[in-house]
Amino acid sequence: MILKIYAVNFNEEMPKYMQITRHIKKLIDSGKIRDGEKLPPIRKLSLFLSVNNDTIVNSYKKLQSEGYAVQKIGSGTYAKKKDENRKLKRDYAETFKRISGEDLNNYIDFAGETSCNVFFSINNFKEVINEVIDRDGVNALIYQETLGFEGLRKNINKYFWNNKLAIEDILIVSGAQQGIDIVSKAIINVNDNVIVEKPTYNGALFVFKWRGANILEADMTEDGIDLENFKDILKKNRIKCFYTMSYFQNPTGMTYSLEKKKEILKLAEKHDFYIVEDDYLSELIYDSNIKYESFKSLDVNDRVIYIKSFSKIFLPGIRLGYLISPEEIKEQVENSKVNTDISTSSLMQRALDLYIKNGYWKEYINKLKCMYLKRYTYMEECIKDILGNKVTFNSPGGGFNFYIKINSNISINSDKLFYRCKRQKVLISPGVLFYRDRDDGLKYFRLGYSQTEESKIKRGIEIIDKILSAAEIK
Amino acid sequence: MILKIYAVNFNEEMPKYMQITRHIKKLIDSGKIRDGEKLPPIRKLSLFLSVNNDTIVNSYKKLQSEGYAVQKIGSGTYAKKKDENRKLKRDYAETFKRISGEDLNNYIDFAGETSCNVFFSINNFKEVINEVIDRDGVNALIYQETLGFEGLRKNINKYFWNNKLAIEDILIVSGAQQGIDIVSKAIINVNDNVIVEKPTYNGALFVFKWRGANILEADMTEDGIDLENFKDILKKNRIKCFYTMSYFQNPTGMTYSLEKKKEILKLAEKHDFYIVEDDYLSELIYDSNIKYESFKSLDVNDRVIYIKSFSKIFLPGIRLGYLISPEEIKEQVENSKVNTDISTSSLMQRALDLYIKNGYWKEYINKLKCMYLKRYTYMEECIKDILGNKVTFNSPGGGFNFYIKINSNISINSDKLFYRCKRQKVLISPGVLFYRDRDDGLKYFRLGYSQTEESKIKRGIEIIDKILSAAEIK
């Protein structure tokens, strides 16, 4: 380790630890200290700079709190390059904040991640919500149960689990994102190892980073995670949990084979880790070869933490989902819920409960499935016909998305593709968002059809084709 | 440091790091390693036990993940005694989970923390929710705005801030608990220092511990935090934020003086920390000498993160609140919201919006104030008359609670008092829940009147009196 680059000409205006922090940040930003490089031991640097140990400790803390360093037990402090995706992430999120409502009609939206509203009968919903208010009165608004409204838990057990669960097993949450957050706070601590699929859902990556977890990626293949890769990680690391989307994985669209699920459940038992199953879209199976069997339903050793969202497929504005935890962590998970937001909106839970009981849920899902199958088939054709020689992709057989690889004869990266498409009012999701290291996603993008009807699908893909053509290597 | 006690007779059945972990846990539980005692350096212990460094690293990680150890930068790993309050906390929480609805009528509830429902007009609410559904149709259920429904933000600005804010300054959250969680995830990292009032709200303590923060306590006095104590902490530590409840602090009921607020704002600027102001109950001012001026309204240097709950005073089941952040951390806080639960229930936001606009909110708060003033006065009298020679307390002049000190002639601790009261169907909040170190709260308890009408107040206090009398030192 060369200490010379750490030399600081101290001035009197600012505390020394701030000056050291600022200097090291510059070194990291400029690449003079590499991402992941170990910073000098505290004593060594304090001697070199003729300052107290505490000054260096404060500086390293400051670096850590600003995301420029991470600490590893028994090892020291390591440099961390700031997120290069920051601008892109902001612009991507802005897109959906700024372009909304009426405005959105002028866009072709291949980036939306939730079901669209055209088939939803607001009258059914109005009916159930009034029924709830008339039945429960002010209790519908005042009652707080940590686990959630008992009626809803009963009906979830009845309609989705054939009464195989106990209703105490079910915890109602405010959507799947909250489910991931609550579980993470309950079981993941700083420096714990978490395996994720590569690529994976960026909202989950964000949460695991918040907890200070070490994120390890295992490649996705056509029938789930690459097992060799996975086992290799298990050999070298003690793992807290594995985060997985078992059906129509986001973004790849891949679905786990039964064998793979069984094998992973065995590994979970052997290596003592949890499987966090994010079952976000398994209602939309179009391919009759795909059978629905969640990790949870195959779980005999109480290894699976199951998270179900109602918001993706149903209505995002109602923010509901549920989770099922293994017995041994149930109390922690419940505490985590209380200290996250006390409980989930009671009125919404009661309304959903009636909505399911009255049969509206099933009716609605069937309508959606029918419509999305049409869009899926049409989009598959369009991509093949129009983009065929420029990209490669797999057909997921369900869900909302196609994950697409840009062929090597096209010299454009996915972040650039995002900006160029956006300028032409087409919204896509660039692959760089789905990986721990952005470089891995430069050649991928995701196209979703949840918000976009057939006539727009074709037009959008033609625009993408023009942009890709302009980048073709001749 | 004596290494001898760390000796382990290894067996073949379990990995060595597990055996070491188990052994150290026993040493901590039995008190042979004290709370806060430094564990041996990794190399030293690995040499002593003839194992690899990695084995000790894994063991220390495991201890940390189970809450038996904490790590400090540049210093090492320290033992942590497991939470002695665990059983009490569970029993306290269980109380509210198990005893609910009809059941609760058989209890005298001095522990409830939210307003009661008797004065709430469900018809007004039914009217606004139907108006929303008729006006916005399915959009009321599908629309997701990170910052929250624009109409509601406009009305919050208009009715609560005299249009002094920009509507982009306001972020709608799912209640104050979520506000604290979101802010903490945005600004607090492992080993950051947080100052809290002593005693304070246990839901906030929980969140700060989750973030791995060092929690520093400053004593509460009658007009806010003890400034000498506070300054002393600032002299010795770099502080990330100070968490405060400016009106009717929970649990003490104390309210900050204007001078103290100004002084703390100056200190925040000088020492570069944020003030997290949890304005949870300032609507309920009974004492006309108390003027409403939040830290936020006095803040000229953008130092205050303001959190407002609608759930405490309004209806807990609707889970709504908002927060206002300083410009420089707004983006982080917004990201934190997205990655916590995407957004808050859209329908509930729209309903509250109309509820405020139609004047129902103001009407309801006035009714509540009138009723709670009566209960407040009556309970104050009852405590004085019945418990006068056994306890000491201050009159807060607003809010929901009295915080009561058990005089030294009564030999009972607050946790025991909780269990004895519960056996006689009276629910109180024991002081041990509100301190970082439980011992500090052994002689205090909180009595709230939010859920309990006059006739029950007297009966409940008479029961407490009997229990205290039985513990009197003669």
Side-chain angles (χ1 to χ4, degrees):
Chain A
M1 189 176 294
I2 302 152
L3 281 178
K4 219 172 62 188
I5 57 166
Y6 287 89
V8 181
N9 287 321
F10 290 114
N11 62 43
E12 295 289 312
E13 286 135 43
M14 201 189 280
K16 281 183 178 169
Y17 84 90
M18 293 273 285
Q19 297 184 53
I20 298 168
T21 308
R22 195 180 266 201
H23 182 65
I24 294 177
K25 275 159 65 175
K26 271 190 205 153
L27 292 172
I28 294 171
D29 281 336
S30 67
K32 277 176 195 145
I33 300 175
R34 277 169 299 104
D35 186 37
E37 191 174 326
K38 192 174 172 178
L39 298 180
I42 286 159
R43 262 163 223 218
K44 219 165 155 185
L45 187 55
S46 66
L47 274 174
F48 175 71
L49 294 174
S50 311
V51 298
N52 291 332
N53 273 349
D54 278 356
T55 306
I56 306 298
V57 168
N58 277 332
S59 166
Y60 282 10
K61 271 193 191 174
K62 183 86 181 156
L63 285 169
Q64 213 185 331
S65 80
E66 295 184 13
Y68 274 95
V70 283
Q71 202 204 358
K72 294 185 189 166
I73 288 198
S75 171
T77 305
Y78 290 77
K80 202 177 144 206
K81 217 169 158 58
K82 286 290 278 187
D83 190 353
E84 287 176 88
N85 269 341
R86 213 173 145 215
K87 184 177 155 22
L88 176 68
K89 274 183 192 162
R90 198 164 44 198
D91 292 339
Y92 183 74
E94 281 292 298
T95 301
F96 298 98
K97 255 181 268 165
R98 301 274 166 264
I99 307 165
S100 55
E102 288 305 303
D103 241 23
L104 203 56
N105 289 332
N106 302 320
Y107 280 79
I108 296 172
D109 181 6
F110 291 142
E113 297 193 54
T114 49
S115 76
C116 76
N117 56 356
V118 282
F119 290 94
F120 185 75
S121 157
I122 188 71
N123 288 331
N124 289 348
F125 192 81
K126 193 176 164 183
E127 176 198 316
V128 296
I129 211 154
N130 278 290
E131 206 176 321
V132 166
I133 292 174
D134 293 338
R135 183 191 66 190
D136 302 339
V138 74
N139 278 334
L141 299 166
I142 209 161
Y143 215 59
Q144 297 181 84
E145 290 161 295
T146 305
L147 289 176
F149 179 57
E150 197 175 299
L152 178 59
R153 287 184 285 128
K154 267 187 197 155
N155 276 328
I156 286 171
N157 194 18
K158 180 173 167 190
Y159 291 98
F160 303 116
W161 294 93
N162 279 319
N163 283 323
K164 276 181 198 152
L165 304 174
I167 60 163
E168 291 76 29
D169 292 341
I170 298 167
L171 172 72
I172 307 292
V173 293
S174 312
Q177 183 70 37
Q178 187 184 69
I180 299 169
D181 185 44
I182 283 176
V183 166
S184 298
K185 285 188 285 199
I187 67 166
I188 300 174
N189 287 291
V190 176
N191 288 319
D192 278 350
N193 295 313
V194 173
I195 305 184
V196 300
E197 293 153 340
K198 176 181 179 182
T200 191
Y201 169 50
N202 50 346
L205 279 179
F206 203 105
V207 172
F208 300 144
K209 282 182 192 162
W210 256 339
R211 298 300 305 152
N214 299 320
I215 296 169
L216 306 166
E217 294 174 307
D219 289 319
M220 274 302 279
T221 69
E222 278 179 46
D223 67 339
I225 206 103
D226 181 322
L227 272 186
E228 288 316 303
N229 199 182
F230 193 72
K231 284 180 190 164
D232 207 44
I233 295 174
L234 291 176
K235 225 176 271 167
K236 291 178 193 149
N237 304 275
R238 220 163 47 81
I239 296 299
K240 193 46 123 355
C241 65
F242 165 49
Y243 171 74
T244 178
M245 289 163 278
S246 40
Y247 283 80
F248 318 119
Q249 198 262 359
N250 185 5
T252 63
M254 296 307 156
T255 291
Y256 278 73
S257 65
L258 182 59
E259 299 70 47
K260 210 158 250 189
K261 280 183 276 198
K262 284 185 179 164
E263 181 71 25
I264 291 168
L265 281 161
K266 263 187 223 154
L267 289 169
E269 180 64 10
K270 186 174 164 200
H271 293 271
D272 186 19
F273 62 87
Y274 293 111
I275 297 167
V276 179
E277 179 174 33
D278 183 354
D279 184 7
Y280 81 114
L281 212 53
S282 59
E283 290 84 357
L284 296 186
I285 299 177
Y286 319 132
D287 179 344
S288 56
N289 293 316
I290 301 177
K291 299 272 164 286
Y292 178 61
E293 264 169 312
S294 59
F295 276 102
K296 178 67 204 166
S297 69
L298 300 166
D299 179 24
V300 288
N301 294 309
D302 224 10
R303 283 283 155 200
V304 177
I305 302 167
Y306 176 86
I307 302 175
K308 179 77 207 164
S309 162
F310 287 120
S311 301
K312 287 258 167 184
I313 180 82
F314 194 44
L315 297 171
I318 71 163
R319 308 303 319 143
L320 286 173
Y322 66 93
L323 70 84
I324 306 171
S325 316
E327 194 56 43
E328 59 174 358
I329 59 163
K330 238 190 221 168
E331 189 189 329
Q332 284 156 263
V333 173
E334 234 179 281
N335 282 339
S336 181
K337 170 65 181 168
V338 174
N339 288 291
T340 295
D341 71 346
I342 314 284
S343 64
T344 291
S345 168
S346 167
L347 180 62
M348 290 293 99
Q349 293 186 56
R350 286 161 199 251
L352 178 63
D353 173 41
L354 266 192
Y355 194 87
I356 295 172
K357 218 160 80 184
N358 292 357
Y360 299 146
W361 167 269
K362 215 172 161 185
E363 194 184 297
Y364 179 58
I365 298 295
N366 285 338
K367 261 201 241 169
L368 279 183
K369 231 167 113 171
C370 189
M371 168 186 64
Y372 280 128
L373 169 59
K374 273 190 214 146
R375 287 193 188 172
Y376 168 78
T377 316
Y378 185 71
M379 192 163 191
E380 192 182 22
E381 263 178 49
C382 284
I383 301 175
K384 266 189 204 149
D385 291 354
I386 302 170
L387 302 179
N389 60 342
K390 300 185 187 75
V391 304
T392 318
F393 73 104
N394 283 302
S395 296
F400 280 155
N401 300 308
F402 289 94
Y403 197 56
I404 294 169
K405 185 175 183 188
I406 304 168
N407 287 348
S408 58
N409 61 328
I410 311 289
S411 96
I412 192 169
N413 288 337
S414 61
D415 47 354
K416 202 152 247 169
L417 182 63
F418 163 75
Y419 284 113
R420 290 198 184 155
C421 284
K422 196 180 154 193
R423 230 172 294 144
Q424 303 208 37
K425 304 213 174 226
V426 175
L427 306 176
I428 66 157
S429 304
V432 292
L433 296 177
F434 306 117
Y435 298 80
R436 193 189 54 191
D437 308 313
R438 60 174 265 123
D439 286 1
D440 291 326
L442 286 171
K443 288 300 168 193
Y444 292 90
F445 61 101
R446 191 187 68 191
L447 294 186
Y449 42 87
S450 73
Q451 301 294 328
T452 306
E453 53 190 19
E454 279 86 341
S455 64
K456 278 184 163 188
I457 286 177
K458 193 169 180 196
R459 236 186 320 135
I461 289 178
E462 283 168 350
I463 291 171
I464 296 171
D465 181 55
K466 271 191 201 138
I467 295 168
L468 291 178
S469 293
E472 204 165 354
I473 303 164
K474 299 260 160 68
Chain B
M1 190 174 294
I2 304 151
L3 281 178
K4 217 172 64 186
I5 57 166
Y6 287 88
V8 182
N9 287 320
F10 290 113
N11 62 44
E12 295 288 312
E13 285 134 44
M14 201 191 281
K16 281 185 178 169
Y17 84 90
M18 293 274 285
Q19 296 185 54
I20 298 168
T21 308
R22 195 180 267 202
H23 181 64
I24 295 177
K25 275 161 65 176
K26 271 190 206 155
L27 293 173
I28 295 171
D29 281 336
S30 66
K32 277 177 194 146
I33 300 175
R34 276 170 300 106
D35 185 37
E37 190 174 327
K38 193 173 171 179
L39 298 180
I42 288 159
R43 264 166 222 213
K44 221 164 152 186
L45 187 56
S46 66
L47 275 174
F48 174 71
L49 294 174
S50 311
V51 298
N52 291 331
N53 274 347
D54 279 356
T55 306
I56 306 298
V57 168
N58 277 334
S59 167
Y60 281 11
K61 272 192 191 172
K62 184 86 180 157
L63 285 169
Q64 215 185 331
S65 80
E66 296 185 13
Y68 274 94
V70 283
Q71 203 204 358
K72 294 184 188 166
I73 287 197
S75 171
T77 305
Y78 291 77
K80 204 177 144 206
K81 214 168 160 59
K82 286 291 276 189
D83 191 352
E84 287 176 89
N85 269 341
R86 213 172 144 216
K87 182 176 157 23
L88 176 66
K89 275 184 192 162
R90 198 166 45 198
D91 292 338
Y92 183 73
E94 281 291 299
T95 300
F96 299 99
K97 256 183 265 163
R98 300 275 166 263
I99 308 166
S100 55
E102 287 306 302
D103 240 22
L104 203 55
N105 289 331
N106 302 321
Y107 280 78
I108 296 172
D109 180 6
F110 291 140
E113 297 194 52
T114 49
S115 76
C116 77
N117 56 356
V118 282
F119 291 93
F120 185 76
S121 156
I122 188 72
N123 288 331
N124 290 348
F125 193 81
K126 192 176 166 183
E127 176 199 316
V128 297
I129 211 153
N130 278 291
E131 206 178 319
V132 166
I133 292 175
D134 293 339
R135 182 191 68 191
D136 302 339
V138 75
N139 277 335
L141 297 167
I142 208 158
Y143 214 59
Q144 296 183 86
E145 291 162 293
T146 305
L147 289 177
F149 180 56
E150 197 176 300
L152 177 59
R153 287 184 284 128
K154 268 188 195 154
N155 277 328
I156 287 171
N157 194 18
K158 183 172 165 192
Y159 291 98
F160 302 117
W161 294 92
N162 280 316
N163 283 323
K164 276 180 198 151
L165 305 173
I167 58 164
E168 290 78 28
D169 292 341
I170 298 166
L171 172 73
I172 307 293
V173 293
S174 312
Q177 183 69 36
Q178 186 184 68
I180 299 169
D181 186 43
I182 283 175
V183 166
S184 299
K185 284 188 284 198
I187 67 167
I188 300 173
N189 287 291
V190 177
N191 288 320
D192 278 351
N193 295 314
V194 173
I195 305 184
V196 299
E197 293 152 341
K198 177 183 179 182
T200 191
Y201 170 50
N202 51 345
L205 279 179
F206 203 105
V207 172
F208 300 143
K209 282 180 192 162
W210 255 340
R211 298 300 303 153
N214 299 320
I215 296 170
L216 306 166
E217 295 174 306
D219 289 319
M220 273 302 278
T221 69
E222 278 180 45
D223 67 339
I225 206 107
D226 180 322
L227 272 186
E228 288 317 303
N229 199 183
F230 194 71
K231 283 180 190 165
D232 206 46
I233 294 175
L234 291 176
K235 226 175 272 170
K236 292 180 194 147
N237 304 276
R238 221 163 45 79
I239 296 300
K240 193 45 116 8
C241 66
F242 165 49
Y243 170 73
T244 178
M245 290 162 277
S246 41
Y247 283 80
F248 318 119
Q249 198 261 0
N250 185 4
T252 63
M254 296 305 154
T255 292
Y256 279 73
S257 65
L258 182 59
E259 298 70 48
K260 209 157 249 186
K261 279 184 275 197
K262 285 185 180 164
E263 182 72 23
I264 291 168
L265 282 160
K266 264 188 223 153
L267 288 169
E269 180 64 11
K270 187 175 163 200
H271 293 271
D272 187 20
F273 63 86
Y274 293 112
I275 297 166
V276 179
E277 180 176 30
D278 183 353
D279 185 6
Y280 81 113
L281 212 52
S282 59
E283 289 86 357
L284 295 186
I285 299 178
Y286 318 132
D287 178 345
S288 56
N289 294 314
I290 300 176
K291 299 272 163 286
Y292 179 60
E293 266 170 311
S294 61
F295 276 101
K296 178 68 205 166
S297 68
L298 300 165
D299 179 23
V300 288
N301 293 310
D302 224 9
R303 283 283 155 200
V304 177
I305 303 167
Y306 177 88
I307 302 174
K308 179 77 206 165
S309 161
F310 287 121
S311 302
K312 286 258 169 186
I313 181 79
F314 195 44
L315 298 171
I318 72 165
R319 308 304 318 147
L320 286 173
Y322 66 93
L323 68 83
I324 306 171
S325 315
E327 194 57 44
E328 60 174 356
I329 58 164
K330 239 189 222 169
E331 190 187 331
Q332 283 156 263
V333 172
E334 232 178 285
N335 283 339
S336 181
K337 170 67 181 166
V338 174
N339 289 293
T340 295
D341 71 346
I342 313 286
S343 63
T344 291
S345 168
S346 169
L347 180 62
M348 290 292 102
Q349 293 186 54
R350 286 161 199 250
L352 178 62
D353 174 41
L354 267 192
Y355 193 86
I356 294 172
K357 219 160 79 186
N358 292 358
Y360 299 146
W361 168 269
K362 216 172 160 185
E363 195 183 296
Y364 179 57
I365 297 296
N366 284 339
K367 259 200 245 170
L368 279 184
K369 232 167 112 172
C370 191
M371 168 185 64
Y372 281 128
L373 169 58
K374 273 190 217 147
R375 287 193 188 173
Y376 168 77
T377 316
Y378 185 72
M379 191 164 191
E380 193 183 21
E381 262 177 47
C382 284
I383 301 176
K384 265 189 206 150
D385 291 352
I386 301 170
L387 302 180
N389 60 340
K390 300 187 188 74
V391 306
T392 318
F393 72 104
N394 283 301
S395 296
F400 279 155
N401 300 308
F402 289 93
Y403 197 56
I404 294 169
K405 187 174 180 191
I406 304 168
N407 288 347
S408 57
N409 61 326
I410 311 289
S411 95
I412 191 169
N413 288 337
S414 62
D415 47 354
K416 201 151 248 172
L417 182 62
F418 162 76
Y419 284 114
R420 290 199 185 155
C421 284
K422 196 180 153 194
R423 230 172 294 145
Q424 303 208 37
K425 304 214 175 223
V426 175
L427 306 175
I428 66 157
S429 304
V432 292
L433 296 176
F434 306 118
Y435 298 81
R436 194 189 52 192
D437 307 313
R438 61 175 263 123
D439 286 1
D440 292 327
L442 287 172
K443 287 301 167 191
Y444 293 89
F445 62 101
R446 192 186 67 191
L447 294 186
Y449 42 88
S450 73
Q451 302 293 329
T452 306
E453 53 191 17
E454 279 86 340
S455 65
K456 278 186 163 185
I457 287 177
K458 195 170 177 196
R459 233 186 323 136
I461 289 178
E462 283 169 350
I463 291 171
I464 295 172
D465 181 56
K466 271 190 203 139
I467 295 169
L468 292 178
S469 292
E472 202 165 356
I473 304 166
K474 298 255 161 78

